[in-house]
Amino acid sequence: MNKPSNRSLLGLIVLVGLVTAGCASDAELDTLQPQSENAREIDDLLDSVLAIAGVIFVLVLGGVVYMSLRQRVKSYDGDDEFPQQITHNNTLEIGWTIVPAIIMVVVAVLTITTHLAINDTEANAVEVEVAGESMSWEPKVVVVGHQWWWEFRYYFSEDVDADMLGDPRDMPPADIVTSGQMIIPTGEEIELVVTSRDVIHSFWIPALNGKRDARPGFYADWEIAADDPGVYFGQCTEFCGLSHSRMRMQVVAMEGGDFQNWVDEQMGPAIDRIGADIAAGREAFVANCSSCHLVSGVNDDLYSGAAVESAAAPNLTHFASRTTFAGGILNTYNEDGTFNRDDMAAWLRAPEEIKDNAANDLPDGVLPRGMPNLGLSERTISDLVAYMESLGERPADWIIAATEVE
Ligand code: CUA
Protein backbone atom coordinates (compact mmCIF):
# COMPACT_ATOMS: atom_id res chain seq x y z
CA MET A 1 0.00 0.00 0.00
CA ASN A 2 2.81 2.36 0.87
CA LYS A 3 4.81 1.89 -2.33
CA PRO A 4 2.23 2.88 -4.96
CA SER A 5 1.30 6.05 -3.05
CA ASN A 6 4.97 7.06 -2.88
CA ARG A 7 5.15 6.50 -6.60
CA SER A 8 2.05 8.60 -7.30
CA LEU A 9 3.41 11.37 -5.10
CA LEU A 10 6.64 11.32 -7.09
CA GLY A 11 4.61 11.36 -10.31
CA LEU A 12 2.66 14.38 -9.11
CA ILE A 13 5.85 16.26 -8.21
CA VAL A 14 7.37 15.53 -11.64
CA LEU A 15 4.15 16.62 -13.37
CA VAL A 16 3.88 19.88 -11.43
CA GLY A 17 7.58 20.49 -12.11
CA LEU A 18 7.11 19.97 -15.85
CA VAL A 19 4.03 22.18 -16.00
CA THR A 20 5.56 25.05 -14.04
CA ALA A 21 8.79 24.79 -16.06
CA GLY A 22 6.71 26.30 -18.88
CA CYS A 23 6.26 29.48 -16.84
CA ALA A 24 8.70 32.39 -17.00
CA SER A 25 8.36 35.89 -15.63
CA ASP A 26 10.02 37.37 -18.72
CA ALA A 27 8.43 35.18 -21.42
CA GLU A 28 8.16 37.00 -24.76
CA LEU A 29 4.63 35.87 -25.54
CA ASP A 30 3.01 36.47 -22.17
CA THR A 31 -0.71 37.31 -22.13
CA LEU A 32 -0.65 37.81 -18.38
CA GLN A 33 1.43 41.00 -18.42
CA PRO A 34 -0.74 43.35 -20.50
CA GLN A 35 0.88 46.57 -21.74
CA SER A 36 -2.11 48.26 -23.34
CA GLU A 37 -5.77 49.02 -22.66
CA ASN A 38 -7.08 46.21 -24.87
CA ALA A 39 -4.66 43.64 -23.47
CA ARG A 40 -5.77 44.66 -19.97
CA GLU A 41 -9.44 44.16 -20.96
CA ILE A 42 -8.60 40.64 -22.12
CA ASP A 43 -6.54 39.92 -19.00
CA ASP A 44 -9.37 41.20 -16.75
CA LEU A 45 -11.83 38.90 -18.52
CA LEU A 46 -9.48 35.98 -17.98
CA ASP A 47 -9.11 36.86 -14.29
CA SER A 48 -12.88 37.16 -13.75
CA VAL A 49 -13.73 33.91 -15.53
CA LEU A 50 -10.88 32.15 -13.75
CA ALA A 51 -12.19 33.38 -10.38
CA ILE A 52 -15.75 32.20 -11.13
CA ALA A 53 -14.48 28.86 -12.45
CA GLY A 54 -12.19 28.57 -9.42
CA VAL A 55 -15.06 28.98 -6.95
CA ILE A 56 -17.15 26.41 -8.87
CA PHE A 57 -14.18 24.03 -8.95
CA VAL A 58 -13.69 24.23 -5.20
CA LEU A 59 -17.42 23.91 -4.42
CA VAL A 60 -18.04 20.98 -6.75
CA LEU A 61 -14.87 19.10 -5.90
CA GLY A 62 -15.33 19.89 -2.20
CA GLY A 63 -18.91 18.58 -2.38
CA VAL A 64 -17.79 15.38 -4.09
CA VAL A 65 -15.07 14.73 -1.53
CA TYR A 66 -17.36 15.58 1.37
CA MET A 67 -20.15 13.32 0.13
CA SER A 68 -17.87 10.42 -0.67
CA LEU A 69 -16.38 10.60 2.83
CA ARG A 70 -19.71 11.04 4.54
CA GLN A 71 -21.59 8.36 2.66
CA ARG A 72 -18.88 5.76 2.49
CA VAL A 73 -19.44 2.31 3.97
CA LYS A 74 -17.23 2.26 7.03
CA SER A 75 -17.14 -1.46 7.46
CA TYR A 76 -18.81 -4.06 5.32
CA ASP A 77 -21.16 -6.19 7.36
CA GLY A 78 -22.55 -8.37 4.57
CA ASP A 79 -25.63 -6.21 4.21
CA ASP A 80 -26.39 -5.89 0.46
CA GLU A 81 -29.43 -3.69 0.91
CA PHE A 82 -29.76 -1.07 -1.86
CA PRO A 83 -29.30 2.48 -0.51
CA GLN A 84 -32.36 4.64 -0.15
CA GLN A 85 -33.09 6.47 -3.44
CA ILE A 86 -33.97 10.17 -3.33
CA THR A 87 -35.53 11.85 -6.39
CA HIS A 88 -37.67 14.82 -7.29
CA ASN A 89 -36.45 17.44 -4.86
CA ASN A 90 -37.94 20.44 -6.61
CA THR A 91 -35.98 23.07 -4.74
CA LEU A 92 -32.68 21.38 -5.60
CA GLU A 93 -33.55 20.73 -9.23
CA ILE A 94 -34.74 24.27 -9.87
CA GLY A 95 -31.70 25.58 -8.00
CA TRP A 96 -29.12 23.70 -10.02
CA THR A 97 -30.80 24.75 -13.23
CA ILE A 98 -31.06 28.43 -12.40
CA VAL A 99 -27.72 29.00 -10.65
CA PRO A 100 -25.58 27.72 -13.59
CA ALA A 101 -27.75 29.74 -15.98
CA ILE A 102 -27.08 32.89 -13.95
CA ILE A 103 -23.36 32.09 -13.90
CA MET A 104 -23.35 31.64 -17.70
CA VAL A 105 -25.20 34.94 -18.16
CA VAL A 106 -22.59 36.73 -15.99
CA VAL A 107 -19.76 35.18 -18.04
CA ALA A 108 -21.55 36.06 -21.29
CA VAL A 109 -22.00 39.69 -20.23
CA LEU A 110 -18.32 39.96 -19.27
CA THR A 111 -17.27 38.33 -22.56
CA ILE A 112 -19.51 40.46 -24.78
CA THR A 113 -18.49 43.68 -22.99
CA THR A 114 -14.81 42.83 -23.54
CA HIS A 115 -15.48 41.84 -27.14
CA LEU A 116 -17.18 45.16 -27.87
CA ALA A 117 -14.47 47.15 -26.09
CA ILE A 118 -11.56 45.60 -27.97
CA ASN A 119 -13.37 45.74 -31.30
CA ASP A 120 -13.92 49.47 -31.02
CA THR A 121 -10.99 50.47 -33.21
CA GLU A 122 -11.65 54.19 -33.55
CA ALA A 123 -8.32 55.95 -32.97
CA ASN A 124 -7.43 59.61 -32.41
CA ALA A 125 -5.44 61.48 -35.01
CA VAL A 126 -1.67 61.68 -34.54
CA GLU A 127 0.32 64.73 -35.57
CA VAL A 128 3.09 63.69 -37.94
CA GLU A 129 5.40 65.68 -40.10
CA VAL A 130 5.56 64.21 -43.56
CA ALA A 131 8.00 65.63 -46.09
CA GLY A 132 8.40 68.80 -44.04
CA GLU A 133 4.68 69.40 -43.63
CA SER A 134 2.70 68.79 -40.49
CA MET A 135 -0.34 66.60 -40.95
CA SER A 136 -3.01 65.00 -38.88
CA TRP A 137 -2.58 61.27 -39.47
CA GLU A 138 -5.52 59.00 -38.87
CA PRO A 139 -3.20 56.30 -37.62
CA LYS A 140 -3.66 53.15 -39.65
CA VAL A 141 -1.13 50.51 -40.55
CA VAL A 142 -1.86 47.83 -43.12
CA VAL A 143 -0.64 44.44 -41.86
CA VAL A 144 -0.02 41.85 -44.55
CA GLY A 145 0.72 38.19 -43.87
CA HIS A 146 2.92 36.23 -46.27
CA GLN A 147 4.50 32.80 -46.07
CA TRP A 148 6.45 33.39 -43.76
CA TRP A 149 6.85 37.02 -42.84
CA TRP A 150 4.80 40.10 -42.03
CA GLU A 151 4.70 43.31 -44.00
CA PHE A 152 3.62 46.68 -42.55
CA ARG A 153 2.45 49.44 -44.89
CA TYR A 154 1.97 53.07 -43.85
CA TYR A 155 -0.10 55.47 -45.95
CA PHE A 156 0.04 59.06 -44.74
CA SER A 157 -1.89 60.85 -47.46
CA GLU A 158 -5.02 58.82 -48.00
CA ASP A 159 -8.00 57.48 -46.19
CA VAL A 160 -7.01 53.86 -45.80
CA ASP A 161 -9.90 51.45 -46.28
CA ALA A 162 -10.82 48.42 -48.37
CA ASP A 163 -11.92 50.60 -51.30
CA MET A 164 -8.69 52.51 -51.38
CA LEU A 165 -6.51 49.42 -50.90
CA GLY A 166 -8.32 47.27 -53.47
CA ASP A 167 -6.96 43.79 -54.07
CA PRO A 168 -4.51 42.83 -51.28
CA ARG A 169 -2.25 41.38 -53.95
CA ASP A 170 -2.13 44.68 -55.78
CA MET A 171 -2.22 47.49 -53.23
CA PRO A 172 -1.25 51.05 -54.16
CA PRO A 173 2.33 52.09 -53.31
CA ALA A 174 2.71 53.05 -49.63
CA ASP A 175 4.70 55.87 -48.05
CA ILE A 176 6.58 53.46 -45.80
CA VAL A 177 6.90 49.72 -46.22
CA THR A 178 8.64 47.61 -43.63
CA SER A 179 8.71 43.98 -42.62
CA GLY A 180 9.08 42.00 -39.41
CA GLN A 181 8.78 45.14 -37.27
CA MET A 182 5.93 47.58 -36.90
CA ILE A 183 6.96 50.92 -35.44
CA ILE A 184 4.31 52.88 -33.53
CA PRO A 185 4.25 56.02 -31.39
CA THR A 186 3.85 55.24 -27.67
CA GLY A 187 0.51 55.94 -26.00
CA GLU A 188 -1.48 56.23 -29.23
CA GLU A 189 -4.10 53.83 -30.49
CA ILE A 190 -3.12 52.66 -33.94
CA GLU A 191 -5.73 51.12 -36.20
CA LEU A 192 -4.67 48.07 -38.13
CA VAL A 193 -6.03 46.71 -41.38
CA VAL A 194 -5.08 43.04 -41.46
CA THR A 195 -4.92 40.93 -44.60
CA SER A 196 -2.92 38.20 -46.34
CA ARG A 197 -1.50 37.59 -49.77
CA ASP A 198 -1.48 33.80 -49.72
CA VAL A 199 -3.01 31.66 -46.96
CA ILE A 200 -4.66 32.43 -43.62
CA HIS A 201 -2.28 33.75 -40.96
CA SER A 202 -3.05 35.31 -37.59
CA PHE A 203 -1.54 38.47 -36.18
CA TRP A 204 -0.87 38.39 -32.46
CA ILE A 205 1.17 40.63 -30.15
CA PRO A 206 0.05 39.14 -26.79
CA ALA A 207 1.17 42.03 -24.58
CA LEU A 208 -0.75 44.55 -26.70
CA ASN A 209 -3.93 42.87 -27.93
CA GLY A 210 -5.60 39.60 -28.87
CA LYS A 211 -5.35 37.82 -32.20
CA ARG A 212 -6.78 38.81 -35.54
CA ASP A 213 -6.79 36.50 -38.54
CA ALA A 214 -5.16 37.67 -41.75
CA ARG A 215 -7.29 36.24 -44.55
CA PRO A 216 -6.53 36.48 -48.27
CA GLY A 217 -8.97 38.77 -50.04
CA PHE A 218 -10.30 40.38 -46.84
CA TYR A 219 -9.37 43.38 -44.74
CA ALA A 220 -10.04 43.00 -41.01
CA ASP A 221 -9.97 45.94 -38.59
CA TRP A 222 -7.86 45.65 -35.48
CA GLU A 223 -5.93 47.89 -33.16
CA ILE A 224 -2.63 48.11 -31.40
CA ALA A 225 -1.31 50.45 -28.71
CA ALA A 226 1.49 50.39 -26.15
CA ASP A 227 1.59 52.26 -22.81
CA ASP A 228 5.36 52.55 -22.74
CA PRO A 229 8.23 52.64 -25.21
CA GLY A 230 9.58 49.16 -25.76
CA VAL A 231 9.60 46.08 -27.91
CA TYR A 232 6.68 43.69 -27.93
CA PHE A 233 7.05 40.26 -29.48
CA GLY A 234 4.51 38.38 -31.56
CA GLN A 235 4.08 35.22 -33.52
CA CYS A 236 1.78 34.06 -36.32
CA THR A 237 -0.84 31.92 -34.60
CA GLU A 238 -2.64 30.28 -37.49
CA PHE A 239 -0.93 27.24 -38.98
CA CYS A 240 0.19 28.46 -42.38
CA GLY A 241 2.62 25.91 -43.72
CA LEU A 242 6.11 24.58 -43.21
CA SER A 243 7.62 27.61 -41.49
CA HIS A 244 4.58 28.76 -39.52
CA SER A 245 6.61 28.57 -36.32
CA ARG A 246 9.24 30.83 -37.89
CA MET A 247 6.87 33.64 -38.73
CA ARG A 248 7.54 36.13 -35.98
CA MET A 249 7.08 39.85 -35.59
CA GLN A 250 7.67 42.71 -33.19
CA VAL A 251 6.03 45.99 -32.38
CA VAL A 252 8.51 48.72 -31.47
CA ALA A 253 6.84 51.56 -29.55
CA MET A 254 8.77 54.84 -29.57
CA GLU A 255 8.20 58.25 -28.01
CA GLY A 256 6.67 60.77 -30.42
CA GLY A 257 9.97 62.44 -31.29
CA ASP A 258 11.71 59.15 -31.99
CA PHE A 259 8.75 58.03 -34.08
CA GLN A 260 9.00 61.24 -36.10
CA ASN A 261 12.72 60.60 -36.67
CA TRP A 262 11.90 57.10 -37.81
CA VAL A 263 9.28 58.44 -40.25
CA ASP A 264 11.77 60.97 -41.60
CA GLU A 265 14.37 58.28 -42.12
CA GLN A 266 11.95 55.85 -43.78
CA MET A 267 10.51 58.54 -46.07
CA GLY A 268 13.97 59.49 -47.27
CA PRO A 269 15.97 57.52 -49.80
CA ALA A 270 17.99 54.64 -48.42
CA ILE A 271 20.70 55.07 -50.98
CA ASP A 272 22.26 58.15 -49.41
CA ARG A 273 24.99 56.16 -47.77
CA ILE A 274 26.05 54.29 -50.88
CA GLY A 275 29.68 54.91 -51.62
CA ALA A 276 32.07 53.40 -54.11
CA ASP A 277 33.01 50.63 -51.68
CA ILE A 278 29.65 48.95 -52.03
CA ALA A 279 29.15 49.49 -55.75
CA ALA A 280 29.90 45.79 -56.28
CA GLY A 281 27.18 44.92 -53.76
CA ARG A 282 24.64 47.08 -55.53
CA GLU A 283 25.53 45.43 -58.81
CA ALA A 284 25.13 41.99 -57.24
CA PHE A 285 21.77 43.05 -55.79
CA VAL A 286 20.48 44.32 -59.11
CA ALA A 287 21.69 41.17 -60.88
CA ASN A 288 20.38 38.59 -58.39
CA CYS A 289 17.64 40.07 -56.19
CA SER A 290 15.93 42.69 -58.35
CA SER A 291 12.96 40.77 -59.60
CA CYS A 292 11.74 39.90 -56.09
CA HIS A 293 13.02 42.57 -53.66
CA LEU A 294 12.59 46.30 -54.10
CA VAL A 295 15.07 48.93 -52.99
CA SER A 296 13.37 52.20 -53.89
CA GLY A 297 15.53 54.33 -56.11
CA VAL A 298 17.72 51.40 -57.11
CA ASN A 299 15.72 48.77 -58.97
CA ASP A 300 12.23 50.22 -59.41
CA ASP A 301 12.32 49.42 -63.11
CA LEU A 302 13.45 45.83 -62.68
CA TYR A 303 11.21 44.89 -59.78
CA SER A 304 8.16 42.92 -60.87
CA GLY A 305 6.80 41.29 -57.72
CA ALA A 306 8.37 38.08 -56.51
CA ALA A 307 8.06 34.70 -58.20
CA VAL A 308 6.64 33.12 -55.04
CA GLU A 309 3.11 32.12 -54.06
CA SER A 310 2.34 35.51 -52.44
CA ALA A 311 3.98 37.34 -55.37
CA ALA A 312 5.85 39.50 -52.86
CA ALA A 313 9.10 39.50 -50.91
CA PRO A 314 10.21 41.99 -48.25
CA ASN A 315 10.90 45.53 -49.41
CA LEU A 316 14.57 46.05 -48.55
CA THR A 317 14.79 49.82 -49.00
CA HIS A 318 15.60 50.51 -45.33
CA PHE A 319 16.73 47.01 -44.45
CA ALA A 320 19.44 47.99 -41.95
CA SER A 321 16.93 50.05 -39.93
CA ARG A 322 15.21 46.81 -38.89
CA THR A 323 16.76 44.68 -36.21
CA THR A 324 15.49 41.32 -37.42
CA PHE A 325 15.15 39.65 -40.79
CA ALA A 326 14.09 36.34 -42.36
CA GLY A 327 10.61 36.62 -40.87
CA GLY A 328 11.79 37.92 -37.51
CA ILE A 329 13.96 34.92 -36.67
CA LEU A 330 17.47 36.29 -37.30
CA ASN A 331 19.13 39.34 -35.73
CA THR A 332 20.33 42.06 -38.09
CA TYR A 333 22.82 43.16 -35.43
CA ASN A 334 25.10 41.28 -33.07
CA GLU A 335 25.00 41.80 -29.33
CA ASP A 336 27.93 44.24 -29.59
CA GLY A 337 25.99 46.33 -32.09
CA THR A 338 27.92 45.32 -35.20
CA PHE A 339 26.09 44.14 -38.32
CA ASN A 340 25.37 40.41 -38.17
CA ARG A 341 27.32 39.47 -41.27
CA ASP A 342 27.46 35.77 -40.37
CA ASP A 343 23.71 35.19 -40.25
CA MET A 344 23.13 37.41 -43.26
CA ALA A 345 25.67 35.39 -45.25
CA ALA A 346 24.25 32.08 -44.01
CA TRP A 347 20.74 33.16 -45.03
CA LEU A 348 21.91 34.13 -48.54
CA ARG A 349 24.00 30.95 -48.84
CA ALA A 350 21.29 28.42 -47.93
CA PRO A 351 17.99 29.88 -46.71
CA GLU A 352 16.37 26.44 -46.75
CA GLU A 353 18.73 25.33 -43.98
CA ILE A 354 17.51 28.12 -41.73
CA LYS A 355 13.85 28.00 -42.64
CA ASP A 356 11.91 25.19 -44.31
CA ASN A 357 10.33 26.58 -47.44
CA ALA A 358 10.32 23.87 -50.10
CA ALA A 359 11.67 26.40 -52.53
CA ASN A 360 13.72 23.91 -54.49
CA ASP A 361 12.80 20.86 -56.59
CA LEU A 362 9.17 21.90 -56.86
CA PRO A 363 6.90 20.30 -59.44
CA ASP A 364 6.29 22.34 -62.60
CA GLY A 365 3.89 25.21 -62.15
CA VAL A 366 4.14 25.27 -58.35
CA LEU A 367 5.56 28.49 -57.00
CA PRO A 368 7.94 28.48 -54.03
CA ARG A 369 6.80 29.93 -50.72
CA GLY A 370 9.96 31.33 -49.28
CA MET A 371 13.39 32.61 -50.14
CA PRO A 372 14.96 30.25 -52.68
CA ASN A 373 18.58 29.14 -52.70
CA LEU A 374 20.07 31.16 -55.54
CA GLY A 375 23.38 29.29 -55.59
CA LEU A 376 25.32 32.50 -55.04
CA SER A 377 29.11 32.51 -55.03
CA GLU A 378 30.93 33.41 -51.80
CA ARG A 379 32.17 36.59 -53.46
CA THR A 380 28.63 37.65 -54.39
CA ILE A 381 27.40 36.80 -50.89
CA SER A 382 30.02 38.99 -49.25
CA ASP A 383 29.26 41.86 -51.65
CA LEU A 384 25.55 41.52 -50.91
CA VAL A 385 26.13 41.45 -47.15
CA ALA A 386 28.06 44.74 -47.39
CA TYR A 387 25.26 46.21 -49.48
CA MET A 388 22.53 45.16 -47.05
CA GLU A 389 24.45 46.80 -44.22
CA SER A 390 24.38 50.08 -46.12
CA LEU A 391 20.61 50.17 -46.63
CA GLY A 392 19.19 52.49 -44.02
CA GLU A 393 19.94 54.04 -40.67
CA ARG A 394 21.21 51.88 -37.82
CA PRO A 395 18.51 51.75 -35.10
CA ALA A 396 19.08 53.02 -31.55
CA ASP A 397 21.08 50.75 -29.24
CA TRP A 398 18.12 50.10 -26.92
CA ILE A 399 16.11 48.76 -29.83
CA ILE A 400 18.92 46.48 -30.98
CA ALA A 401 19.31 45.14 -27.44
CA ALA A 402 15.59 44.74 -26.81
CA THR A 403 14.65 43.15 -30.10
CA GLU A 404 17.26 40.42 -30.03
CA VAL A 405 15.78 37.05 -30.94
CA GLU A 406 17.27 33.75 -29.87
CU1 CUA B 1 1.62 32.58 -40.80
CU2 CUA B 1 1.33 30.81 -39.29
Side-chain angles (χ1 to χ4, degrees), residues 145-150 198-202 235-241 243-247:
H146 304 72
Q147 283 169 319
W148 289 278
W149 57 283
W150 292 96
D198 39 40
V199 300
I200 302 176
H201 305 272
S202 190
Q235 158 73 44
C236 176
T237 58
E238 180 78 35
F239 180 70
C240 55
S243 283
H244 156 67
S245 67
R246 299 184 190 85
M247 183 169 171

Side-chain angles (χ1 to χ4, degrees), residues 120-296:
D120 174 12
T121 56
E122 207 54 44
N124 297 323
V126 175
E127 290 304 311
V128 186
E129 208 171 282
V130 177
E133 278 187 41
S134 188
M135 71 164 287
S136 182
W137 177 43
E138 192 191 314
K140 268 192 190 179
V141 178
V142 183
V143 176
V144 193
H146 304 72
Q147 283 169 319
W148 289 278
W149 57 283
W150 292 96
E151 178 176 80
F152 304 102
R153 304 172 69 86
Y154 298 68
Y155 294 88
F156 289 119
S157 52
E158 298 181 66
D159 210 8
V160 180
D161 57 22
D163 284 345
M164 173 263 171
L165 292 169
D167 180 355
R169 291 174 66 93
D170 190 24
M171 283 181 265
D175 291 305
I176 294 175
V177 182
T178 180
S179 62
Q181 280 176 325
M182 177 178 7
I183 314 293
I184 61 168
T186 304
E188 304 282 359
E189 290 177 355
I190 308 293
E191 291 177 45
L192 304 181
V193 184
V194 184
T195 189
S196 164
R197 285 177 64 109
D198 39 40
V199 300
I200 302 176
H201 305 272
S202 190
F203 183 78
W204 186 45
I205 307 286
L208 304 185
N209 206 348
K211 304 169 182 180
R212 176 93 340 158
D213 277 6
R215 297 170 298 156
F218 293 91
Y219 291 104
D221 291 332
W222 203 223
E223 189 194 279
I224 212 96
D227 299 338
D228 301 307
V231 175
Y232 306 92
F233 290 80
Q235 158 73 44
C236 176
T237 58
E238 180 78 35
F239 180 70
C240 55
L242 278 177
S243 283
H244 156 67
S245 67
R246 299 184 190 85
M247 183 169 171
R248 305 179 65 181
M249 63 288 207
Q250 302 167 342
V251 166
V252 181
M254 299 177 173
E255 294 289 6
D258 291 339
F259 179 73
Q260 181 63 56
N261 290 342
W262 178 80
V263 168
D264 293 342
E265 197 263 326
Q266 299 287 314
M267 296 287 288
I271 49 175
D272 273 358
R273 301 197 294 140
I274 292 185
D277 53 330
I278 49 140
R282 175 161 36 165
E283 230 168 80
F285 172 82
V286 170
N288 296 287
C289 322
S290 264
S291 61
C292 294
H293 294 283
L294 177 66
V295 172
S296 293

